Amino acid sequence: MTSDLERLFEFLRFPSVSTDSTCSGDVRACAEWLVTTAEGFGFDAALHDTPGHPVVIARNAHRAGRRHVLIYGHYDVQPVDPLGLWDSPPFEPEIRDGRVWARGCADNKGQMLAHLLGAGKLLAETGDLPVNLTFLFEGEEEIGSPNLAPFLEAHRDELACDVIAVSDTGMVAPGVPTMDYGLRGITCCEVILRGPERDLHSGLFGGAVMNPATAVGRLIASLHDADGRVQVPGFYDEVRELEVWEREMWAQVPGVTVEDFQSLTGVPGLFGEQGFSPAEQTWARPTAEVNGVGGGYQGEGSKTVIPAEAMVKLSFRLVPDQDPKDIMAKVKAHLEASCPPGVRIEVVPGHDGKPYLMDPHSGDGKAAQEALRTAFGRDAVLIRSGGSIPIVQDFREILGADTLLLGLALSDAQVHSPNENFPVENFEAGIRLNRALLEKLAEA
Ligand code: BES
Ligand code: ZN
């Protein structure tokens, strides 16, 4: 009999990096492993091809009169670079200090496998589950789920459900069960500024032409005021203000003070929109971020050159009721209007996703909190999260169901960074949580 941890290690050994085309065979092998593993517990499982990476669906035998619960997770992971900063190889999982260390252990393989093991062991032991259950596992979440919404449309009838559960978020502090009732949305773009038709000698032409790298700097500077408030006209028009009860509740949540944020990040001081706590700034306020900037000479020493072009990659985290397409149109108009003379601007929109907000006091929300209490032995805290899982709002719009976000990763899980980690005890609690969750949702 394979132990739970051995199974997790098998899962983690697949380098299922969705953005890297050289890994597409590994992504597929990982999906095939999921099919075999789900079948081993008695689920009916199948791999579905898409124009990108495969979707895996697994289900128990559905019976009339029971609630239909859909559980979603993603088996793709982020790239591992910079590889040199890992203390152990990213696809050779190991346990140190009570934590598993490997790419994807927290985001999202450990959390996803806890879903499968919790429900799978209950099915294998008792021969049935209290609900009609469907697992939906995708391999493209980290690249913006380009093929999943069309897949939902095409399988709408079979996937229509009463409620959805997802463990792909975090816990505010060790041992503190955490339910997310909101996620930020996102919209991304790349901005390219082109000036001279080739790199120029900065002595011969500097002073008479606009430097595209300087122009990028001016565009970046135009995004915020001195306090970090976004200056794109109309950006805040649709922002829903925080409710008083949320601010009061969040003031009691552990793990999110100024000091916590400072020690988690190592910054010399926090910086952000005035009048909001760090939790409020990251969970309920929109942002503009520079994710990458490039142009000009990057090598050793100096090279006196005016680069022909320069670029910046931007992303905007969004909150209810901002719409990603509307925000990108406003951003594009702002960038074009703010572009200095002497360069041409091209704004290339990237992927996007809508924000999500549910009522944590709904029947299913309460059932999820009871399951968290059963698994962790204490009351859950209710938060929103700053991260994005774009498919969650699509679930609501296409399948007509709310998503319960039951996070198991810790704040120092280093998701998307070197040395990603996931405590063994959270993995075990996740397995307990999923057994309890199905029982509570059956009655909700
Ligand atoms: N699991 C994360 C999202 C997350 C992390 C939500 C922690 C809440 C708390 C997810 O895998 C992720 O990283 N999503 C991307 C979305 C993007 C690629 C469209 C993100 O948030 O940057
Ligand atoms: Zn994730």
Side-chain angles (χ1 to χ4, degrees):
M1 202 32 202
T2 316
S3 76
D4 297 345
L5 272 176
E6 281 167 50
R7 262 188 230 280
L8 177 58
F9 277 32
E10 283 177 17
F11 193 17
L12 291 170
R13 286 192 192 105
F14 293 98
S16 50
V17 183
S18 49
T19 195
D20 182 348
S21 57
T22 67
C23 291
S24 56
D26 300 298
V27 178
R28 191 178 183 85
C30 189
E32 284 163 355
W33 179 89
L34 277 169
V35 171
T36 311
T37 303
E39 283 173 345
F41 286 112
F43 293 106
D44 182 13
L47 182 148
H48 296 256
D49 281 310
T50 75
H53 299 304
V55 166
V56 171
I57 292 196
R59 39 185 274 159
N60 63 341
H62 288 193
R63 285 209 321 257
R66 294 196 301 200
R67 299 191 83 211
H68 185 189
V69 177
L70 187 120
I71 292 180
Y72 161 86
H74 65 91
Y75 65 88
D76 64 320
V77 300
Q78 286 271 332
V80 297
D81 60 289
L83 188 58
L85 295 184
W86 286 79
D87 293 333
S88 54
F91 297 112
E92 293 171 31
E94 54 178 70
I95 295 179
R96 299 190 304 273
D97 308 324
R99 296 186 183 206
V100 179
W101 301 80
R103 167 57 84 231
C105 59
D107 183 11
N108 173 226
K109 288 175 173 173
Q111 304 199 58
M112 194 187 119
L113 193 62
H115 279 303
L116 184 56
L117 291 178
K121 295 209 284 188
L122 190 59
L123 177 63
E125 282 164 25
T126 65
D128 202 2
L129 294 176
V131 297
N132 294 340
L133 179 65
T134 301
F135 287 110
L136 172 69
F137 299 136
E138 77 153 322
E140 299 192 318
E141 194 272 348
E142 299 292 4
I143 51 172
S145 304
N147 294 297
L148 194 56
F151 186 90
L152 297 183
E153 304 269 12
H155 295 78
R156 186 194 287 266
D157 293 340
E158 142 190 21
L159 297 176
C161 56
D162 296 296
V163 66
I164 297 160
V166 175
S167 286
D168 190 22
T169 51
M171 290 167 67
V172 289
V176 181
T178 305
M179 179 168 127
D180 266 44
Y181 60 95
L183 292 166
R184 288 198 289 192
I186 189 166
T187 183
C188 309
C189 68
E190 181 165 344
V191 185
I192 305 139
L193 295 186
R194 298 186 177 89
E197 58 192 20
R198 79 199 91 85
D199 287 4
L200 301 177
H201 188 297
S202 63
L204 299 183
F205 295 98
V209 297
M210 170 56 76
N211 182 321
T214 306
V216 161
R218 283 172 55 174
L219 280 189
I220 293 173
S222 78
L223 289 173
H224 300 98
D225 72 8
D227 289 329
R229 202 176 149 85
V230 179
Q231 285 191 296
V232 174
F235 189 75
Y236 291 91
D237 284 359
E238 313 300 331
V239 169
R240 206 188 295 182
E241 293 303 323
L242 268 153
E243 304 275 350
V244 173
W245 65 266
E246 293 182 285
R247 302 190 84 161
E248 286 173 358
M249 184 173 70
W250 292 354
Q252 311 301 318
V253 170
V256 290
T257 62
V258 169
E259 293 71 32
D260 291 320
F261 268 62
Q262 220 158 312
S263 80
L264 275 169
T265 58
V267 294
L270 297 186
F271 168 81
E273 206 185 353
Q274 296 294 298
F276 298 95
S277 69
E280 292 166 353
Q281 287 168 336
T282 54
W283 299 344
R285 301 295 298 169
T287 64
E289 293 295 346
V290 176
N291 300 126
V293 53
Y297 180 63
Q298 311 279 323
E300 197 181 336
S302 65
K303 181 184 182 198
T304 47
V305 70
I306 295 174
E309 62 176 59
M311 68 86 182
V312 57
K313 287 175 189 277
L314 302 174
S315 64
F316 300 80
R317 294 283 169 173
L318 310 178
V319 302
D321 298 307
Q322 289 176 300
D323 174 72
K325 302 277 187 268
D326 173 60
I327 292 295
M328 187 45 66
K330 287 173 172 156
V331 165
K332 188 166 182 285
H334 167 76
L335 292 171
E336 286 168 356
S338 311
C339 183
V343 289
R344 292 180 194 86
I345 180 168
E346 185 184 4
V347 180
V348 185
H351 61 69
D352 63 23
K354 292 178 186 161
Y356 173 72
L357 189 62
M358 66 164 281
D359 173 11
H361 309 299
S362 67
D364 285 322
K366 286 194 186 129
Q369 290 160 58
E370 282 169 27
L372 284 166
R373 193 181 309 114
T374 304
F376 287 91
R378 57 184 280 186
D379 282 345
V381 296
L382 304 179
I383 67 164
R384 300 201 223 162
S385 239
S388 306
I389 310 176
I391 204 65
V392 166
Q393 179 61 20
D394 291 333
F395 284 148
R396 176 185 278 153
E397 290 175 17
I398 301 170
L399 305 180
D402 269 350
T403 298
L404 307 165
L405 296 155
L406 309 171
L408 300 171
L410 295 186
S411 307
D412 62 354
Q414 326 265 59
V415 291
H416 298 197
S417 303
N419 298 319
E420 181 171 349
N421 62 86
F422 189 49
V424 174
E425 64 178 324
N426 289 27
F427 180 53
E428 290 165 349
I431 297 171
R432 290 197 301 275
L433 169 66
N434 276 278
R435 294 178 80 118
L437 183 67
L438 297 185
E439 281 155 11
K440 305 282 183 200
L441 289 178
E443 268 120 53

